[in-house]
Amino acid sequence: VKSPVAIHVAYERTETLERLRALSPRAGFVIAGSDHHGSVMMPPSPAPVLLLEDLSGTDALFVRVQAAASHDPELLVVPLVRSPRRDTDAMLFDAGAFDVIDDGPDMEAQLLRMASLAQRFARLRQEHARLREVLAHQDRLSAVGLLAAGVGHEVNNPNAAILANLEVIRNQLENVLSHPRFQQVDLLHDISSDLLEALGDSIGASRRITAIVHSLNIFSRKAEDGVARPLNINDEVNTVLRLVGKELRFQAHTELDLATSMPPIVAQPHAMTQVVTNLVVNALQALESKRREERCLTIRTRFDDDSVMLEVADNGPGVAPENIGRIFDPFFTTKATGAGTGLGLAITRELVQKNGGEIFVDSELGRGATFRLVFERIPEVAVTKRPVSRMPPANERLRVLIVDDDEMLLRSIVRTLANQFECIPRSSAARALQFLREDDRIDVVLTDIVMPVTNGLELYRQLESEFPALAARTIFLSGGIRSEELRATIADTGRPTTAKPFEIAELMRLIRAIERGVAA
Ligand SMILES: Nc1ncnc2c1ncn2[C@@H]1O[C@H](COP(=O)(O)OP(=O)(O)OP(=O)(O)O)[C@@H](O)[C@H]1O
Ligand SMILES: [Mg+2]
């Protein structure tokens, strides 16, 4: 549903306001105004657009746009200039203008266009806010995961000792009990089966702890495990089927619908087999409630110009609507105690995301569930398919060296910037320096601050001594610096810092500022 955009006009001439008000009932915007000689210069929230009329010259307008834009970054500041327009738009955009319109005869058309852009912008912002929430949620989850893995690690060694000892005791006891002399001891004979059963249960429980700790480790493991390489996801499906195929044929009717000539994705093969296995196991477990001859499992792969898709679908009971938002959370399970840990899907999502993909679920209660993985096709393929004219030639594009130890974030930054800049991602300061020593044709360095071994500040110091020109072209990405001292030292460098999750526009602005040689 489109709601009209509220435009607040800071006007100089009352007739401007009147003219705009006359337009507004027909168009997708609502006009409110204040004489900006009056006290209200900033519009009362939630006016998303501030239309600034200024007759006292471009310089004054420039300053006012800048002031309004920096006062409230959410506000879309639109200067209204006098027609005919002079060639000052670029300057106003630099000052932070969202759009520039003039009071010429097609003012209405310009306003309409601006209102529609503003609407779209608001929707993107909402989506952005939603994604931020999702990210924050996942941050919390990964903190839980780390903690759990830490605990798991501590539990593992004593548990291994318990398991080993229990097995020794069981073996010895079995030996002793089978000895003819002890067969005659009635008391021992009576309790022997109880003892053995108790031991057997203890050993089973201890093995289960081992399995849980193992899952926890996978869940919290870093992306370095296993090298990502181009692979065909159909091959991974076939690997899994080889592993569980026999069981599968016996358990459910399995339909394979694999696309031919699948384009490759870049992923860790081991992670992909784990992902497919988890989904297949879940589907089989869900199908247990159905009669064998009615159970159906479908594995499907598809692709289009941008992405590669894998679906694992079953016709089991499906996921209850109240659970659908939680099934990917670690430890969420609807299975009986002892039957499920609730880590399968959490691990699956972790692995999928680490490999640049996304996972979706589609389910209706009673109608089964479909889990869909979507991966990006590898860039080489996409780039060659695109008409060359859509990108400026590589030698004219700024080269941005991006340094972040979080490979997923690194990939997402590249994805964000790649259509504007030539991006060179490196996952550590050492790798970045190694790159620079071979090829220092870099225009901007974008570096994370908190990184293992060599942090962003140390990298900056290294640049100062080895590549001073680049030190002066560095932007820091900060993901929340805990050390007050580090924060102060970073501030002392005088280099711009932008917080993660960063605003794309802000990042672009900083990079462009460096390009123009302006202190940002
Ligand atoms: N194919 C499916 N159909 C219906 N519900 C499902 C399906 N897959 C997962 N679920 C639901 O999601 C929950 C979480 O799944 P997940 O794989 O994370 O844990 P689990 O299977 O319960 O335990 P684990 O995988 O650790 O042994 C399940 O308990 C189940 O309620
Ligand atoms: Mg599972």
Side-chain angles (χ1 to χ4, degrees):
V1 193
K2 271 196 183 180
S3 51
V5 172
I7 301 178
H8 189 94
V9 188
Y11 60 91
E12 294 239 344
R13 292 179 301 184
T14 319
E15 69 178 85
T16 305
L17 186 65
E18 277 159 8
R19 197 172 150 206
L20 289 169
R21 283 219 170 112
L23 297 174
S24 78
R26 272 178 292 153
F29 45 83
V30 184
I31 299 279
S34 60
D35 171 350
H36 73 60
H37 295 301
S39 57
V40 193
M41 153 76 194
M42 296 307 294
S45 55
V49 179
L50 172 65
L51 197 58
L52 276 179
E53 183 183 27
D54 200 316
L55 305 174
S56 43
T58 313
D59 285 347
L61 189 54
F62 180 89
V63 170
R64 285 162 48 82
V65 166
Q66 212 165 29
S70 59
H71 175 85
D72 178 2
E74 298 270 290
L75 191 64
L76 306 179
V77 183
V78 180
L80 172 61
V81 299
R82 217 176 326 182
S83 169
R85 235 150 133 173
R86 278 167 300 147
D87 192 17
T88 50
D89 287 8
M91 228 179 116
L92 291 167
F93 283 124
D94 269 350
F98 172 69
D99 199 356
V100 179
I101 64 179
D102 61 62
D103 63 357
D106 62 343
M107 182 161 81
E108 179 172 13
Q110 297 179 55
L111 273 168
L112 271 174
R113 188 199 54 189
M114 186 209 69
S116 136
L117 281 176
Q119 240 150 11
R120 210 178 278 187
F121 203 76
R123 274 198 299 277
L124 286 175
R125 219 171 231 159
Q126 265 171 12
E127 175 64 6
H128 183 242
R130 193 188 63 80
L131 287 175
R132 261 192 184 192
E133 233 164 65
V134 171
L135 267 182
H137 178 65
Q138 289 192 4
D139 265 0
R140 281 196 298 279
L141 287 185
S142 68
V144 170
L146 272 184
L147 181 69
V151 173
H153 184 80
E154 293 304 307
V155 167
N156 211 22
N157 289 337
N159 180 54
I162 293 175
L163 185 58
N165 288 332
L166 286 175
E167 274 169 349
V168 170
I169 295 174
R170 180 162 69 177
N171 285 343
Q172 304 267 23
L173 192 61
E174 272 169 353
N175 282 340
V176 167
L177 290 174
S178 62
H179 201 281
R181 225 198 294 164
F182 284 99
Q183 303 264 316
Q184 269 112 57
V185 184
D186 281 352
L187 177 67
L188 258 186
H189 189 75
D190 285 349
I191 61 168
S192 66
S193 68
D194 276 357
L195 275 181
L196 285 176
E197 195 180 289
L199 273 173
D201 284 353
S202 303
I203 289 171
S206 178
R207 289 219 172 102
R208 198 166 145 65
I209 295 178
T210 309
I212 294 173
V213 169
H214 178 69
S215 310
L216 280 173
N217 283 339
I218 297 178
F219 177 58
S220 61
R221 220 183 264 165
K222 285 265 176 290
E224 292 93 64
D225 294 345
V227 186
R229 59 167 177 80
L231 56 84
N232 183 335
I233 203 146
N234 285 349
D235 295 343
E236 304 313 309
V237 173
N238 285 321
T239 306
V240 173
L241 291 181
R242 262 200 309 282
L243 293 172
V244 295
K246 252 197 208 134
E247 177 79 351
L248 208 61
R249 267 193 294 283
F250 177 67
Q251 295 272 348
H253 170 72
T254 311
E255 235 166 77
L256 268 191
D257 178 7
L258 304 183
T260 47
S261 62
M262 276 296 265
I265 60 168
V266 175
Q268 300 156 296
H270 180 75
M272 289 303 106
T273 42
Q274 166 116 38
V275 162
V276 178
T277 310
N278 286 357
L279 295 179
V280 169
V281 168
N282 274 353
L284 289 181
Q285 287 172 340
L287 286 169
E288 274 168 19
S289 64
K290 251 184 132 86
R291 297 222 320 270
R292 187 152 296 159
E293 56 278 16
E294 286 172 359
R295 299 177 188 167
C296 184
L297 173 81
T298 309
I299 305 180
R300 188 177 297 122
T301 57
R302 289 285 181 273
F303 64 89
D304 61 21
D305 285 352
D306 309 311
S307 52
V308 168
M309 188 207 76
L310 166 82
E311 260 179 20
V312 176
D314 64 72
N315 63 343
V319 185
E322 67 270 23
N323 289 341
I324 211 130
R326 304 166 61 198
I327 57 173
F328 294 103
D329 288 356
F331 307 111
F332 177 82
T333 181
T334 56
K335 288 163 195 167
T337 319
T341 320
L343 281 174
L345 286 177
I347 291 175
T348 300
R349 185 173 63 180
E350 185 82 0
L351 293 177
V352 168
Q353 291 179 341
K354 267 180 189 160
N355 284 282
E358 280 190 83
I359 183 165
F360 305 96
V361 60
D362 193 0
S363 177
E364 224 178 290
L365 202 55
R367 284 272 179 89
T370 301
F371 287 84
R372 181 176 306 116
L373 310 182
V374 181
F375 292 93
E376 243 175 87
R377 279 178 67 162
I378 53 178
E380 282 84 352
V381 183
V383 169
T384 49
K385 287 199 84 188
R386 258 179 216 153
V388 194
S389 60
R390 277 176 57 177
M391 279 193 194
N395 55 7
E396 284 174 22
R397 300 170 74 209
L398 288 188
R399 300 181 92 210
V400 184
L401 177 63
I402 308 162
V403 193
D404 199 313
D405 60 313
D406 181 334
E407 306 218 3
M408 196 165 91
L409 187 66
L410 200 57
R411 280 199 299 274
S412 74
I413 299 176
V414 171
R415 244 175 263 139
T416 314
L417 299 178
N419 65 345
Q420 303 247 5
F421 309 110
E422 191 184 335
C423 296
I424 294 116
R426 285 295 178 274
S427 59
S428 70
R431 295 203 180 101
L433 286 166
Q434 188 188 350
F435 175 85
L436 286 172
R437 283 171 196 140
E438 276 157 28
D439 176 1
D440 65 355
R441 293 171 302 123
I442 289 292
D443 298 298
V444 175
V445 177
L446 194 64
T447 179
D448 183 21
I449 297 174
V450 183
M451 293 188 288
V453 194
T454 309
N455 69 25
L457 180 66
E458 288 157 350
L459 171 61
Y460 175 79
R461 297 279 180 243
Q462 196 71 31
L463 292 178
E464 276 185 319
S465 68
E466 256 184 89
F467 306 95
L470 278 180
R473 296 175 146 261
T474 298
I475 299 171
F476 288 112
L477 273 177
S478 130
I481 314 169
R482 250 167 285 154
S483 148
E484 215 27 73
E485 193 189 330
L486 182 57
R487 194 196 312 273
T489 322
I490 296 275
D492 282 347
T493 65
R495 298 310 310 157
T497 304
T498 179
K500 291 192 278 191
F502 54 86
E503 295 271 358
I504 296 165
E506 165 74 352
L507 198 53
M508 294 277 184
R509 190 183 68 76
L510 291 174
I511 296 177
R512 293 291 178 206
I514 288 180
E515 176 192 13
R516 291 193 312 267
V518 187

